[in-house]
Amino acid sequence: MILTIAAAVFVFGLLVLVHEWGHFITAKMTGMRVDEFAIGFGPKLISKRRGETVYSLRAIPLGGFNDIAGMDPENNTAGERGFCAKPVLSRMIVILAGAAMNFILPIVLFFAIYATLGEGQPATEPIIGGVIEGMSAEKAGIKEGDEILSVDGQDVATWKDFTDKLKNIEAGQNISLKFKRGEEINEVTVSPTYNEQEKRVLVGVQSSVVYERKSVAESFTLAIDHTKEITVFMIESIAKLFQEPEQTENLAGPIGIVQMSGQVAERGFIPLLNFAALLSINLGIINLLPVPALDGGHFVNLFIEAVRGKPLGAKAVAYTQRVGIALLLMLMLFATKNDLVRVFLK
């Protein structure tokens, strides 16, 4: 439990810090007055003023904010240094900077992993590198580090041998797995389940990983390419939510993310960094959606202002903000429902 909480605070804190720092630094660079830079919501735990800005850490670590003067044109106390008084381009840069930082963070994290450990590749040996919680292999007692020896009496020499033999197994069919743990040889029965997303049966194990060292230049290129691949995959996955409503069953909210953070942290710090990178990309994409109350919605308003030559009226902005907040609350409630079902009913 302590590890889960610590992992969740680390992941949420890192993502929020980077996102809000993007807004903060560009606001400062464009001459805006920032009254507060906060990590978290609710009561202040720690706060310190440096210059005109208060830097604070708040009690609920599920977000953060920048209090930029002049966000509300009718309550601009900063004059020419208020957000609303700056050129549209400056305001666009500030709005997009948070999401931009969420795409830069994964590049930095992946670069650090590639430059220090190298690029991970599936090992050829039939050694278990990870066991998925709740699936057949975990229920049968198989653990990370076990070496698969045979499937239904057929010898296994490589990980490919193992996966090839599983291809001929039907979902729900009991199969015998013989494996070696240390000097002890064991045999268990598992029942694979069909995974709709991967279109194949799975017993719930992952191969071990070997790392190949990379140069600094190679590490940087790989980090960019990997971030790009994940971004494309996530955009396609979000699009599927609108095309295939049943995919919404996979949505996770704060409870689910906290649970996943703990599970990933149990596998080590590097997997946790990978998880943080994935969430950061996801946060960046979500924030750019043209939904009022999100950064993407603010950007759309600014784009309309640039085309019209004047901002939207206060009533129009207020109305769209209320609609956006209502949509986000509905999505949050739905995702939380999914979390509760996964945690308590599965």
Side-chain angles (χ1 to χ4, degrees):
M1 182 57 130
I2 294 176
L3 179 62
T4 296
I5 294 173
V9 170
F10 170 76
V11 170
F12 278 116
L14 178 62
L15 267 56
V16 171
L17 175 64
V18 167
H19 181 91
E20 295 302 334
W21 187 82
H23 292 311
F24 171 80
I25 195 65
T26 49
K28 289 284 192 179
M29 290 172 65
T30 53
M32 298 177 189
R33 193 185 80 198
V34 183
D35 294 330
E36 183 176 358
F37 175 84
I39 300 299
F41 296 113
K44 293 179 182 178
L45 299 178
I46 304 171
S47 67
K48 185 173 183 179
R49 177 179 291 277
R50 292 193 63 181
E52 64 187 10
T53 305
V54 174
Y55 299 85
S56 66
L57 180 64
R58 293 174 177 253
I60 305 173
L62 296 178
F65 64 89
N66 281 282
D67 183 6
I68 303 175
M71 292 293 291
D72 178 5
E74 296 181 359
N75 189 31
N76 179 20
T77 61
E80 293 183 357
R81 296 190 60 208
F83 179 86
C84 60
K86 294 297 180 180
V88 173
L89 180 59
S90 296
R91 285 179 277 155
M92 285 180 168
I93 291 171
V94 172
I95 290 299
L96 294 180
M101 288 303 300
N102 284 126
F103 293 105
I104 293 173
L105 174 63
I107 294 174
V108 173
L109 294 179
F110 290 142
F111 171 78
I113 293 170
Y114 289 136
T116 54
L117 289 180
E119 182 181 15
Q121 299 287 350
T124 56
E125 296 83 2
I127 297 175
I128 304 297
V131 180
I132 301 174
E133 185 178 1
M135 294 194 69
S136 182
E138 191 242 2
K139 292 176 181 177
I142 292 177
K143 297 182 178 180
E144 181 180 341
D146 292 344
E147 180 182 358
I148 303 297
L149 300 178
S150 68
V151 176
D152 275 344
Q154 301 178 61
D155 290 344
V156 169
T158 65
W159 185 263
K160 187 176 185 302
D161 283 346
F162 174 55
T163 56
D164 284 347
K165 287 177 172 56
L166 290 181
K167 290 178 182 177
N168 300 318
I169 306 298
E170 294 183 1
Q173 176 183 341
N174 288 334
I175 60 173
S176 173
L177 289 184
K178 183 181 289 186
F179 63 91
K180 185 177 181 181
R181 181 180 298 163
E183 297 301 319
E184 183 182 353
I185 294 178
N186 299 284
E187 190 166 357
V188 295
T189 299
V190 298
S191 179
T193 55
Y194 185 77
N195 185 282
E196 187 65 36
Q197 187 173 2
E198 298 196 27
K199 307 297 182 185
R200 62 191 177 100
V201 296
L202 302 173
V203 296
V205 295
Q206 300 166 335
S207 68
S208 56
V209 177
V210 293
Y211 289 93
E212 180 184 349
R213 296 298 296 271
K214 298 293 180 181
S215 68
V216 170
E218 288 174 325
S219 298
F220 185 66
T221 301
L222 284 169
I224 293 175
D225 290 343
H226 194 33
T227 301
K228 188 189 306 180
E229 290 169 5
I230 295 171
T231 301
V232 171
F233 173 77
M234 287 187 174
I235 291 173
E236 292 173 348
S237 298
I238 291 173
K240 283 184 180 179
L241 292 179
F242 298 96
Q243 300 167 1
E244 305 172 21
E246 64 274 11
Q247 293 291 331
T248 55
E249 296 281 333
N250 298 321
L251 282 175
I255 296 173
I257 294 173
V258 168
Q259 184 185 36
M260 287 185 280
S261 297
Q263 293 169 352
V264 173
E266 289 177 356
R267 293 165 51 195
F269 187 62
I270 297 301
L272 187 62
L273 290 182
N274 272 294
F275 182 64
L278 295 178
L279 281 184
S280 187
I281 294 171
N282 187 263
L283 177 61
I285 294 171
I286 295 298
N287 260 288
L288 289 178
L289 293 177
V291 176
L294 293 178
D295 291 343
H298 287 299
F299 181 80
V300 169
N301 285 345
L302 291 173
F303 180 79
I304 293 172
E305 178 182 341
V307 172
R308 294 175 74 226
K310 61 180 181 178
L312 289 172
K315 287 185 178 180
V317 172
Y319 175 76
T320 57
Q321 291 288 326
R322 284 197 292 270
V323 171
I325 291 171
L327 289 173
L328 292 176
L329 285 175
M330 289 172 60
L331 182 63
M332 183 65 71
L333 288 172
F334 186 81
T336 302
K337 183 271 293 182
N338 285 352
D339 291 344
L340 294 175
V341 169
R342 275 191 289 264
V343 172
F344 296 108
L345 299 181
K346 290 188 177 181

